[in-house]
Amino acid sequence: MDTTNKLPLEMVYHWETAKKDVRYMTQPVGDGQVVEYTWGRAVEEARRMASYLKSLDLPEKSRIGLISKNCAHWIMTDWAIWMAGHVSVPLYPTLNADTVNYILNHAECDVLFVGKLDDWEMMKPGVPESVRCISYPLSPPNDFETWDDIIRQHAPLAGESHRAADELATIVYTSGSTGRPKGVMLSFGNMAFAATGGIQTLGVGANERMLSYLPLAHVFERTFVELGSLYAGFELYFAESLDTFVKDLQRAQPTLFLSVPRLWVKFQHGVLQKLPKQKLDRLLKVPVLNRLIKKKILKGLGLDKVKLAGSGSAPLSHDVLDWYRNLGLELLEGYGMSENFAYSHMNKPGRTRTGYVGEPLPGVEVRISEEGEVLVKSPATMMGYYKDEEKTREAFTEDGFLRTGDKGEIDELGRLKLTGRIKEIFKTSKGKYIAPAPIENRLMSHDAIEMVCVSGANQTQPHALVMLGEETRPKLADEAFRKELEDSFKALIQEVNRTVDPHEQLAFITVVSDEWSIENSFLTPTLKLKRNVVEDAYQSKVDSWYAQKQPVIWQ
């Protein structure tokens, strides 16, 4: 069907009749069991919940919170909130109580849907007593009203609720690598434009299958999974847990698969643990084995049916990209922000260039400012920041382009290369500026390194902090292994330093013993490094590291 100018709720009502008895969502419920939702059942449950929300007599366009890992109820809740005339406010399922409290108060949420969560006891103190909570079937134990009871007790909301294109649909609070999260206001028109442009560009149809596991509270998953399935009419599967992830993947057999750099690296490390890189490279050179081995690896990852694989949220190193492409998985990097509903640039099949995030998507205008900042503009661009006119003004140029905060350059085919964050660029004591991202990407080529942070403001040369992969860390007790790893890091420094300008050459690598995680606030909920937190954690030791004059330091 032609989805041009169709808003999200119109698509919900379209599939309610066009695919009434067709399976839409498959939800694991434990012990290998699943519950299947047809389009008809999903829309009916959303209508019943909308009827209940209407019965609460909340002010028009009230903000309603939603905190849960991905599940079928997350998507039905979003629809129900819209049908009832309100605004959805998703919260990451990994937030601490303080941030939960800040968002619920800032958005003035009257109601909160509490879903599948690993650490509800830690979050619960952040929920104000005035907020009415509703529980999903997979929620942690609580005494809230339950989804199942509510939909049993309420008749479906009749008719079709219409919301205007310029109406506020959702407030997405940024994952915030610094400071308090900002509330990005997105309209139904923003969402519709991004979803339509995305599926048309990628040629996505109704026969696709996707596994939804990256947080739906983030625009990357919301645009291409929730809204993508709504506009193309394809099937969604959900993951039960990290332990069952490969099983969940194999059940879904996705044809489209999105992930973030840290997880692509983890998948690769998992393969290389079983089949070391040198051996794999050697086997792939044998013509009779080449296709067999590639197929076996992709099947083991649950990705053998994937025709389009995407990576976003942060840059992926060239080596990792090339490794997957060599296996026959054309991994396409894209680029977007919460502020434009993840709709900005994307590599297209057959037109990729390593190190570039691709061409502007249809309807996106882009230019580079005199300072080298990437500026973008499209109908997917946000309405502004909720309750923050000053930050909204700062986010735009006078002619309405969004300031991305990223530095970049454009090649002759219009493909964009990101060269670092404007705010991340630091100055050495010699007065030279360093953009850390390109150096970090080079270091990530080492298969023992999971995360890296290049730093060194006001020092003579930069240095790198690296966190090893979880497979590598336990082996450090073996002296021979540690010596071999140290030698490989010395070689890595020499290799990187040959490829960068003299002022960018690394003084040393420090291997940290800490694990950088969401729980200890080193990472955002989308697994991006909080650079300021990492730097602050080791600041007191930096001078002594430089004084050691060693290429590799074990912290």
Side-chain angles (χ1 to χ4, degrees):
M1 77 172 276
D2 181 12
T3 60
T4 314
N5 302 325
K6 292 275 193 297
L7 296 174
L9 276 181
E10 292 175 72
M11 296 307 304
V12 171
Y13 300 131
H14 166 76
W15 298 122
E16 180 182 25
T17 51
K19 284 195 165 190
K20 184 174 187 294
D21 299 318
V22 175
R23 186 175 61 202
Y24 171 39
M25 296 186 284
T26 298
Q27 174 65 56
V29 289
D31 298 326
Q33 304 297 304
V34 296
V35 174
E36 294 181 346
Y37 290 82
T38 60
W39 282 95
R41 177 181 173 180
V43 181
E44 183 180 332
E45 291 203 14
R47 282 181 176 278
R48 288 174 182 273
M49 185 53 70
S51 179
Y52 166 78
L53 292 174
K54 281 273 202 191
S55 75
L56 300 178
D57 286 329
L58 301 170
E60 203 181 328
K61 298 178 188 174
S62 286
R63 274 75 54 212
I64 295 181
L66 163 50
I67 188 163
S68 173
K69 290 164 112 176
N70 299 12
C71 59
H73 292 84
W74 202 110
I75 287 177
M76 293 186 285
T77 299
D78 216 12
W79 298 352
I81 291 168
W82 294 339
M83 288 174 182
H86 301 308
V87 176
S88 59
V89 180
L91 286 82
Y92 285 99
T94 48
L95 296 177
N96 60 34
D98 177 52
T99 309
V100 167
N101 186 264
Y102 173 77
I103 292 172
L104 293 176
N105 282 318
H106 188 263
E108 298 172 72
C109 289
D110 298 296
V111 178
L112 176 67
F113 285 84
V114 177
K116 194 179 168 188
L117 296 164
D118 290 335
D119 212 347
W120 172 239
E121 287 305 310
M122 181 266 288
M123 299 171 173
K124 192 164 59 174
V127 180
E129 282 186 22
S130 59
V131 173
R132 176 190 292 263
C133 292
I134 298 162
S135 167
Y136 289 167
L138 295 170
S139 302
N142 60 64
D143 53 6
F144 307 142
E145 295 172 277
T146 70
W147 177 282
D148 288 346
D149 283 349
I150 288 169
I151 63 166
R152 255 196 309 274
Q153 293 158 9
H154 289 79
L157 189 68
E160 295 188 0
S161 313
H162 288 287
R163 306 290 296 270
D166 59 358
E167 248 187 278
L168 177 61
T170 191
I171 303 173
V172 174
Y173 280 82
T174 57
S175 52
S177 52
T178 55
R180 287 290 192 190
K182 300 189 289 284
V184 175
M185 297 190 290
L186 294 160
S187 70
F188 289 101
N190 292 150
M191 289 183 145
F193 187 83
T196 308
I199 64 168
Q200 286 174 356
T201 302
L202 292 172
V204 168
N207 296 324
E208 315 299 351
R209 296 182 302 278
M210 282 195 92
L211 180 74
S212 176
Y213 69 100
L214 296 172
L216 273 163
H218 189 263
V219 290
F220 185 46
E221 186 84 351
R222 195 110 172 262
T223 306
F224 294 102
V225 178
E226 182 192 8
L227 273 292
S229 69
L230 196 49
Y231 276 77
F234 60 72
E235 223 179 311
L236 292 185
Y237 291 77
F238 295 93
E240 184 179 340
S241 68
L242 266 180
D243 296 336
T244 64
F245 189 75
V246 172
K247 256 190 215 151
D248 296 323
L249 253 182
Q250 287 163 345
R251 177 194 295 118
Q253 296 199 309
T255 58
L256 309 172
F257 187 74
L258 296 180
S259 199
V260 292
R262 190 172 181 210
L263 293 178
W264 284 118
V265 170
K266 268 185 176 293
F267 297 156
Q268 182 200 31
H269 285 184
V271 171
L272 296 177
Q273 284 298 305
K274 294 175 187 165
L275 193 58
K277 190 173 187 305
Q278 291 83 349
K279 188 176 178 184
L280 176 60
D281 290 346
R282 208 165 51 244
L283 291 171
L284 290 176
K285 283 177 185 155
V286 182
V288 71
L289 293 176
N290 182 290
R291 282 185 64 183
L292 200 68
I293 286 173
K294 288 179 178 180
K295 197 170 179 185
K296 192 175 178 184
I297 290 172
L298 291 176
K299 191 165 187 170
L301 289 169
L303 303 178
D304 51 315
K305 299 284 195 297
V306 171
K307 60 182 192 188
L308 272 178
S311 182
S313 173
L316 196 55
S317 86
H318 302 181
D319 297 84
V320 175
L321 273 171
D322 291 342
W323 187 83
Y324 279 104
R325 286 174 185 164
N326 193 33
L327 287 179
L329 192 70
E330 188 170 28
L331 193 44
L332 303 174
E333 280 196 286
Y335 167 64
M337 304 167 66
S338 300
E339 287 82 351
N340 52 31
F341 204 47
Y343 187 83
S344 181
H345 286 69
M346 193 184 290
N347 273 300
K348 295 176 186 169
R351 292 171 63 88
T352 60
R353 180 175 175 187
T354 303
Y356 285 70
V357 292
E359 302 163 54
L361 285 158
V364 174
E365 296 176 64
V366 60
R367 68 171 192 240
I368 307 292
S369 75
E370 284 179 16
E371 297 75 37
E373 184 177 11
V374 179
L375 306 175
V376 293
K377 185 183 193 179
S378 82
T381 305
M382 68 171 179
M383 302 164 78
Y385 294 118
Y386 189 57
K387 294 184 182 171
D388 202 332
E389 288 180 20
E390 187 184 338
K391 280 207 167 66
T392 300
R393 271 195 306 276
E394 288 170 7
F396 291 96
T397 62
E398 285 187 11
D399 56 349
F401 276 76
L402 179 68
R403 299 179 191 277
T404 64
D406 289 305
K407 282 177 81 78
E409 51 195 53
I410 296 169
D411 76 1
E412 68 287 352
L413 290 182
R415 293 172 297 199
L416 175 67
K417 179 180 186 177
L418 299 176
T419 55
R421 292 283 296 164
I422 282 174
K423 287 178 183 166
E424 285 177 358
I425 290 169
F426 61 86
K427 198 194 277 190
T428 64
S429 60
K430 297 171 183 172
K432 299 281 191 179
Y433 287 97
I434 310 270
I439 306 170
E440 288 166 354
N441 269 343
R442 288 185 169 93
L443 291 166
M444 284 295 292
S445 66
H446 195 293
D447 58 17
I449 294 176
E450 189 169 309
M451 302 205 80
V452 59
C453 176
V454 167
S455 187
N458 305 316
Q459 299 288 351
T460 51
Q461 293 292 135
H463 67 273
L465 294 157
V466 305
M467 184 189 93
L468 302 178
E470 59 188 327
E471 307 86 3
T472 307
R473 278 175 248 151
K475 299 178 186 173
L476 294 179
D478 179 337
E479 278 300 319
F481 176 81
R482 189 173 169 130
K483 171 78 173 67
E484 195 180 316
L485 191 60
E486 180 163 326
D487 289 344
S488 73
F489 285 157
K490 287 175 182 173
L492 178 66
I493 288 184
Q494 288 175 350
E495 190 185 318
V496 169
N497 285 352
R498 273 198 300 272
T499 63
V500 298
D501 290 336
H503 70 277
E504 297 175 309
Q505 290 176 354
L506 295 167
F508 56 86
I509 284 175
T510 297
V511 183
V512 302
S513 54
D514 313 303
E515 184 170 357
W516 300 339
S517 65
I518 296 169
E519 290 70 31
N520 61 18
S521 295
F522 277 71
L523 305 182
T524 71
T526 51
L527 303 177
K528 283 185 198 160
L529 201 68
K530 289 188 180 179
R531 196 174 291 275
N532 60 322
V533 174
V534 173
E535 289 177 339
D536 289 350
Y538 305 103
Q539 191 56 50
S540 62
K541 301 172 182 173
V542 170
D543 286 340
S544 68
W545 292 342
Y546 277 92
Q548 288 179 45
K549 296 193 176 347
Q550 294 295 320
V552 179
I553 292 165
W554 299 87
Q555 185 265 328

